[in-house]
Every structure is written in C-alpha cells, then in structure tokens.
C-alpha cells in the first residue's frame, strides 16, 4: 500500500489488528482514541518494547513539529476592528465607533515604502499600515490619496473627519471592490515600479483609491535622519506603536510644520524608484487639550 | 452541546474578532508568513461579517473562522508573488543554533508533505485542534484526518531520518 494513500484500507476497510495499531498509536498519543481502543493500545504497549520506543519516537516528532513554529506577535487587530466598523454587517449592528462627545484628533498617515533589500535597523518589517484602536479618545485618519506623484503634497485632515474615513486602511490592494480598495498594504512592488515610475496610480494596487499616501524611498537612513532631526527641533513625542509604525504626537502649534516637513521628506525621496516590499508608517497626531 | 450562542446571545462580528483574532492571525502566519497574515486575518473577518447570517452553528465559531482563513490563505498564496508566498521567518533571536537547524529541518520535511497531509498536521499539532475540529475546518471526516496525520508522520520521520543521515 502506498503510505501516502489515505483512502486505502486503513480508512475505509477492516484492517488487521497489527496493521491498525501504528495508526492508532498516533491517535492514542493525541488522546483521540475511544476508551476501548485506548485500552487495547495500552495493553499492546505493555507487552511490546518496540511499540513503546515507537511511541517515544512519535512524541519526539510531535514536539519537533510544534516547536517548528514559535509564536509570532499578533498585529493588525485594531485595523481589522476598524475595517469591520466601516462595513456594517447585514444582520448585526457593529458597536459604536466613537463614544458621543469624543474628540477626534486631526491626524494623517504617511506610509513610507522602502526598496526591496533596504536595511531597516531596529525596525521590523511590517506589511500593513497600522491604525489605532477605534473607540478610544483619539482616532487616526488617513488622507484620501488621489495621487502620489512628486509635488502632490500631504495635508492633514481637518478635525471631525467622517468615521468611515478615519482609519488607515491596510491590506493588499489586488482587488477592485469598495471594501478591498480601502484596505491595503504595500508589500508588493507598486504599479510602475518596474518601469521606473514609483507609485503611479492606475490599475491594480494603484494609489488612486483612499489610503495613506505612499512614497518610494532609497533607504531607511534618509527617513530616519529627517525624522530624528524633526524630533529634536520640535520636541515631538515619538512612539513605535507597531513594528515599523511610528506615532508622532504633536502639539497644535507644531502640527502644520511637522506635516510640511514630513511631506518634504517624502517628496524629495520620491524620485527614487525600486521594488518595494517593506513599509514604514508615520502617524502624525495633533494633540488636543480635551 | 451547542457551540454557537442562542440567537438572543449572538455576538456581533466585533465580539468574534475580539475572541478569535489572535488564533486566526497565527493560523495565517504559519501558512503564509507573518507579513501577509494581517491581511488574511482581516479578510477572514470581513468575509465572516458578510456570511454571519448563513452560519448555522454546525461547527464552532473558531473552526468556522479557521475554515474561512484557510481559504483566504490559499487565495493569497495563489496571488502572492512566489518570492513572498512561502516566506516564514519566525526566529526570535533567542534560539540556539541547533534549535534553528532542527526547525529548518522540520519545516523542510513539512514542506515535502502533500498539501493534504501537511494541513492536517498543522491543524492538529500546531494549531492545537482536535481531529474533529480539524475535520470541520477541512470539510472531511474525522477518520480522514486521523489517517492523514498518521501517514504524514511516517513521511516526516523518513524525511528527517534522511536529513540526519546526510548530516552524519
């Protein structure tokens, strides 16, 4: 019998007892046998040292498989909650996005794409643009990017951004539905990247749909230098809220200046093309007094 | 035992996400890599949101979601660029060199399995599902899961034994 054939007699037929036992041994190890069969296996184990060794082998292999996949940090929960809020279910009403009277901070998100192979010191790769928890006192907003060509500029959203546009979407933009166009990541090369036109809108994955503005950058160092200098000048508070996602908390007086500076950083670097797959995101939040 | 709450207690999709997002994310990360997992997890819950009314409670909410997630992972693998599709990097920097080597050997052995065998092993051994739960996710009888896991382990052992012989 072909050992890879799982439709053979071991599944559907009436295998001999000695043929069935090895398969039962694994199920026994997994605690998946009915009591009667488990008893049979235990009796066989007591009588057969080779079977006991077999059981130990199976245990070791099972542990090795489990250990082959160490835990990874979960990311994207807040974005998923926000995406669910944006698209009400047919039968179930989602929870309120914001409590009444909650202040909405003016925020914009800047997604920075790095060329493939770019070195990201101290920053883990992230494929998605991260938002902030919905329903908290602050809400994040991504501007609706109409283009990303040089000079297009970034602007902060005004306060009181509609709820539906208030969270940076994040997922692969390989489809055209309304929902999918709002939820995107920038893992794959942008349209035009292969032809030297970074971030040009048009076609699948284009930047013409709502979402954070994206920029191709030659390397991470340039961005980090600019942001570090900005932080020193303005006293902006920076927090890496997700790997590769930085929240800049800015007082109202400095907000416009920070936006302009970040805009300039991105625009200057925009002429560089490359094949991007990594993303840095800067969320710039105007602090409110409430 | 009814796995799904009564209608009057039916949680909204947000409640499901709160309960199961971690499971779904990790499930996706193990199959398509952590970079794509957030997208796949999000799409899983958006799909679940669309289909919540059709859910009849014949399986648990978790296995229902993982079934959706499995389809989403397959879809992402079909559309992802080859260079990204199998990228799974999960070393945390605290492992000894031998552990990493062992992990790589096991992953290679898993990769050499048929998709059906590999999925059964992942669902049970790594995702921690029972045979019945794995069967719900895969849409096959529980006995098939048992058989697939059994045969998968035969192949795994053979592959790893060969790897060991090559090393020595």
């Amino acid at each position: 019998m072909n050992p890879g054939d799982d439709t053979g007699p071991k599944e559907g037929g009436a295998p001999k007892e000695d043929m069935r036992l090895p398969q039962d041994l694994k199920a026994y190890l997994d605690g998946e046998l009915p009591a009667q069969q488990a008893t049979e296996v235990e009796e066989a184990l007591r009588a057969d040292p080779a079977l006991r060794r077999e059981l130990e082998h199976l245990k070791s292999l099972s542990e090795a498989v489990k250990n082959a996949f160490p835990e990874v940090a979960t990311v994207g929960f807040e974005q998923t909650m926000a995406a669910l809020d944006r698209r009400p279910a047919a039968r179930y009403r989602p929870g309120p996005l914001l409590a009444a009277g909650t202040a909405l901070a003016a925020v914009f998100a800047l997604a920075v794409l790095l060329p493939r192979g770019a070195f990201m010191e101290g920053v883990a790769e992230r494929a998605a643009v991260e938002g902030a928890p919905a329903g908290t006192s602050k809400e994040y907003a991504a501007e609706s990017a109409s283009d990303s060509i040089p000079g297009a500029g970034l602007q902060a959203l005004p306060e009181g951004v509609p709820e539906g546009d208030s969270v940076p979407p994040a997922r692969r933009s390989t489809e055209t539905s309304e929902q999918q166009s709002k939820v995107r990541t920038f893992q794959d090369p942008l349209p035009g990247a292969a032809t030297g036109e970074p971030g040009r809108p048009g076609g699948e994955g284009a930047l013409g749909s709502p979402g954070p503005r994206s920029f191709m950058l030659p390397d991470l160092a340039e961005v980090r230098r600019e942001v570090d200098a900005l932080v020193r000048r303005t006293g902006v508070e920076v927090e890496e809220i997700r790997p590769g996602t930085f929240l800049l908390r800015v007082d109202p007086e400095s907000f416009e200046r920070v936006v302009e500076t970040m805009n300039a950083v991105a625009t200057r670097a925009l002429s560089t093309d490359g094949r991007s797959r990594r993303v840095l995101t800067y969320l710039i939040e105007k602090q409110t007094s409430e | 035992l009814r796995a799904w709450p009564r209608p009057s207690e039916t949680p909204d999709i947000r409640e499901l996400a709160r309960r199961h997002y971690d499971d779904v994310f990790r499930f996706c990360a193990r199959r398509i890599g952590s970079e794509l997992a957030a997208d796949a997890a999000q799409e899983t819950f958006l799909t679940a949101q669309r289909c919540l009314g059709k859910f009849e409670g014949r399986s648990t909410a978790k296995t229902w979601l993982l079934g959706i997630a499995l389809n989403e992972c397959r879809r992402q693998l079909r559309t992802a660029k080859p260079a990204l599709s199998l990228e799974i990097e999960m070393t945390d920097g605290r492992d000894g060199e031998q552990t990493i080597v062992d992990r790589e050997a096991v992953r290679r052995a898993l990769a050499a399995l048929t998709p059906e065998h590999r999925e059964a092993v992942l669902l049970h051994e790594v995702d921690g599902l029972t045979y019945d739960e794995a069967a719900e996710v895969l849409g096959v009888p529980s006995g098939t899961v048992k058989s697939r896991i059994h045969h998968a382990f035969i192949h795994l052992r053979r592959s790893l034994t060969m790897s060991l012989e090559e090393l020595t």
Side-chain angles (χ1 to χ4, degrees), chain A residues 21-33 55 58-59 61-62 66, chain B residues 124-125 131 146 149-150 153:
Chain A
L21 202 49
Q23 181 165 323
D24 280 355
L25 198 58
K26 175 61 178 143
Y28 170 79
L29 179 63
D30 294 335
E32 293 278 353
L33 279 187
L55 185 66
L58 284 174
K59 275 184 190 173
L61 192 49
S62 178
K66 287 179 173 72
Chain B
H124 176 68
E125 301 290 339
Y131 287 6
K146 177 182 174 184
I149 290 174
H150 166 72
F153 267 70

Side-chain angles (χ1 to χ4, degrees), chain A residues 3 26 30 62 87 125 183, chain B residues 35-36 42 49 125 131 151:
Chain A
K26 175 61 178 143
D30 294 335
S62 178
R87 207 178 57 170
E125 291 181 28
V183 189
Chain B
E35 284 194 347
L36 295 173
Q42 183 177 105
Q49 185 180 40
E125 301 290 339
Y131 287 6
H151 290 299

Side-chain angles (χ1 to χ4, degrees), chain A residues 28-80:
Chain A
Y28 170 79
L29 179 63
D30 294 335
E32 293 278 353
L33 279 187
Q36 176 60 36
Q37 281 177 263
T39 302
E40 289 175 16
V41 172
E42 284 166 0
E43 288 171 0
L45 283 169
R46 275 194 291 273
D48 187 350
L51 202 59
R52 289 199 294 275
R53 283 196 298 275
E54 177 74 9
L55 185 66
E56 290 306 310
H57 284 312
L58 284 174
K59 275 184 190 173
S60 299
L61 192 49
S62 178
E63 283 303 308
V65 170
K66 287 179 173 72
N67 292 333
F69 295 90
E71 289 294 311
V72 294
T74 302
V75 295
F77 172 73
E78 291 85 359
Q79 281 182 282
T80 293

Side-chain angles (χ1 to χ4, degrees), chain A residues 175-210:
Chain A
E175 288 129 283
T176 56
S177 71
E178 179 266 346
Q179 167 256 318
Q180 285 155 339
S181 69
K182 288 183 177 178
V183 189
R184 45 197 278 131
T185 65
F186 304 95
Q187 227 173 3
D188 294 334
L190 292 174
T195 57
E197 296 180 42
R200 287 278 186 188
E204 290 187 342
L207 299 174
S209 54

Side-chain angles (χ1 to χ4, degrees), chain B residues 13-28:
Chain B
I13 189 67
R14 291 175 58 86
E15 180 60 25
L16 283 181
R18 270 190 287 273
R19 280 189 207 166
H20 299 296
Y21 184 86
D22 283 0
D23 288 335
V24 170
F25 176 88
R26 289 179 178 134
F27 178 93
C28 296

Side-chain angles (χ1 to χ4, degrees), chain B:
Chain B
L1 181 65
R2 187 180 172 84
W4 192 252
R6 290 188 296 274
S8 61
E9 301 169 344
T10 302
D12 66 18
I13 189 67
R14 291 175 58 86
E15 180 60 25
L16 283 181
R18 270 190 287 273
R19 280 189 207 166
H20 299 296
Y21 184 86
D22 283 0
D23 288 335
V24 170
F25 176 88
R26 289 179 178 134
F27 178 93
C28 296
R30 289 168 191 135
R31 285 157 180 81
I32 58 176
S34 53
E35 284 194 347
L36 295 173
D39 290 340
Q42 183 177 105
E43 185 58 27
T44 295
F45 284 100
L46 290 172
T47 301
Q49 185 180 40
R50 283 197 301 272
C51 303
L52 199 56
K54 299 175 185 173
F55 184 74
E56 296 174 350
R58 286 197 291 254
S59 60
T60 65
K62 180 179 174 180
T63 56
W64 180 60
L65 288 167
L66 294 184
I68 297 171
L70 184 59
N71 287 334
E72 180 59 24
C73 289
R74 288 170 177 160
R75 191 191 69 78
Q76 295 233 7
L77 283 178
R78 283 196 301 272
T79 57
K81 301 199 178 308
L84 292 175
S85 63
L86 293 177
E87 185 177 13
I88 302 177
E89 181 47 66
M90 299 181 186
T91 50
D92 57 14
R94 290 172 299 190
D95 302 288
E97 185 178 344
Q98 186 58 45
T99 305
I100 294 172
V101 170
D102 291 346
R103 260 182 207 164
E104 286 307 309
V106 174
R107 288 186 199 173
R108 279 198 302 273
L110 283 167
L113 296 176
T114 66
E116 291 80 10
H117 288 178
R118 182 169 56 248
E119 197 53 57
V121 170
L122 289 179
L123 284 168
H124 176 68
E125 301 290 339
V126 186
D127 298 315
L129 302 189
T130 64
Y131 287 6
D132 285 344
E133 289 171 333
E136 285 175 6
V137 173
L138 295 172
V140 299
S142 182
T144 302
V145 171
K146 177 182 174 184
S147 174
R148 287 178 181 177
I149 290 174
H150 166 72
H151 290 299
F153 267 70
I154 291 173
H155 288 294
L156 284 174
R157 177 191 279 183
R158 189 177 301 157
S159 295
L160 290 170
T161 303
M162 288 169 62
S163 298
L164 189 62
E165 286 171 354
E166 286 170 7
L167 283 174
T168 56

